[in-house]
Amino acid sequence: MIERKFWLALAALCAVGGVIQLPWAPSRFGAAFFLALAVGCAGMWLVLRLRERFRVCRVLAVVGRVLFALFVLSFAAIQIFVIQAGMRTETADTQADYYIVLGALVNPDGQPSAALAARCDTAADLLVANPDSKAVLCGGQGGNEPCTEADSMFAYLTEQKGVDPARLLREDKSANTIENLENARTLIETAEARDHESYTAAVVTSDYHLARAKVLLRRAGYEQGLGVPAPTPYPAQWVAVRCREYCSILGLMLTGRWTV
């Protein structure tokens, strides 16, 4: 009886958390994540209620407990890793020949979203602190964006932050982090006529995204694996973006593409 109440209460709590996040587009992944948890918890409540009548429900109850325990442990472990990566990594003192700025959503008016603007602000500080460096602005055009993410960043950095356009390279074909980093490397080594061994690079992205980005940076062939975090702009996004990172990192682990 007590266990059934626990699962029912947890289902209700997750459902409320999911519904609250639904209206705001940047948090909708978090909404889907919590609503999925609510369905799973409600399923456990139903299984426990029927376990005295059906043997299969007794088996499902055991499986459900094991899966939930694994979820809690893996979620906690990944979040600790993500948070530590965002806290302990390099700062504006980080020296690199190229800063690879990863894209994010562009607003309907062509301006960077708050998350993208935070990444650009961090990149601008790095370029001021390292006057001989350049930045590679990464990101193609999504279906709901008026321009490429690279073009939006370029306009923001040159017009609002006063960055010399000659110090900015645009990579405007990519659609995800893996393509960002691979295309940036090709752009640097082709357009700049640089050998891989003759330059250093650091990735600039949001603090919650940095752990995954640094792993993918090394997988893309950048040996240093340097990264500089930009702050998450809204506290309300904290939960949603970390739910997304959990799913993304777990996906990389399960497919054998995660090496630290």
Side-chain angles (χ1 to χ4, degrees), residues 2-250:
I2 294 177
E3 187 179 3
R4 290 209 306 268
K5 289 182 178 180
F6 165 78
W7 289 109
L8 189 60
L10 190 57
L13 183 63
C14 290
V16 170
V19 170
I20 289 175
Q21 296 183 76
L22 274 176
W24 194 35
S27 292
R28 283 183 187 149
F29 186 94
F33 187 90
F34 276 93
L35 291 174
L37 281 178
V39 171
C41 292
M44 274 296 295
W45 170 81
L46 181 61
V47 163
L48 291 171
R49 187 178 181 185
L50 299 175
R51 65 179 171 177
E52 299 302 326
R53 296 170 55 188
F54 303 102
R55 183 175 181 276
V56 67
C57 289
R58 292 195 291 273
V59 175
L60 289 175
V62 174
V63 172
R65 293 187 190 104
V66 172
L67 291 177
F68 186 76
L70 290 175
F71 161 73
V72 171
L73 291 174
S74 63
F75 189 87
I78 288 175
Q79 294 312 315
I80 290 171
F81 180 72
V82 167
I83 292 170
Q84 286 181 339
M87 292 174 59
R88 69 167 183 249
T89 48
E90 297 76 24
T91 65
D93 295 329
T94 302
Q95 294 183 352
D97 297 313
Y98 296 90
Y99 297 102
I100 302 172
V101 190
L102 302 186
L105 181 68
V106 175
N107 291 329
D109 62 358
Q111 290 295 312
S113 62
L116 187 55
R119 298 179 187 186
C120 290
D121 292 342
T122 300
D125 292 341
L126 288 164
L127 292 174
V128 169
N130 301 276
D132 294 327
S133 300
K134 292 184 178 182
V136 184
L137 313 178
C138 298
Q141 183 175 0
N144 59 342
E145 296 176 320
C147 63
T148 68
E149 295 164 7
D151 287 343
S152 178
M153 286 190 280
F154 182 87
Y156 179 86
L157 286 168
T158 55
E159 297 171 9
Q160 299 188 40
K161 306 299 289 188
V163 176
D164 182 356
R167 301 181 67 190
L168 303 176
L169 305 176
R170 280 179 276 190
E171 185 288 295
D172 57 5
K173 306 299 181 185
S174 55
N176 55 55
T177 303
I178 293 175
E179 292 180 2
N180 286 165
L181 299 172
E182 291 177 348
N183 292 350
R185 180 179 173 184
T186 300
L187 179 63
I188 293 170
E189 295 178 1
T190 302
E192 298 288 289
R194 299 290 295 267
D195 294 327
H196 173 61
E197 301 297 332
S198 67
Y199 68 89
T200 56
V203 65
V204 179
T205 189
S206 301
D207 49 12
Y208 65 84
H209 184 229
L210 194 60
R212 177 160 58 101
K214 289 179 68 176
V215 169
L216 295 176
L217 186 73
R218 288 190 289 270
R219 285 188 62 84
Y222 302 87
E223 295 179 1
Q224 297 83 9
L226 299 175
V228 183
T232 301
Y234 301 118
Q237 274 190 293
W238 196 92
V239 174
V241 295
R242 280 162 176 76
C243 290
R244 186 179 68 186
E245 282 305 295
Y246 168 74
C247 293
S248 298
I249 290 174
L250 189 62

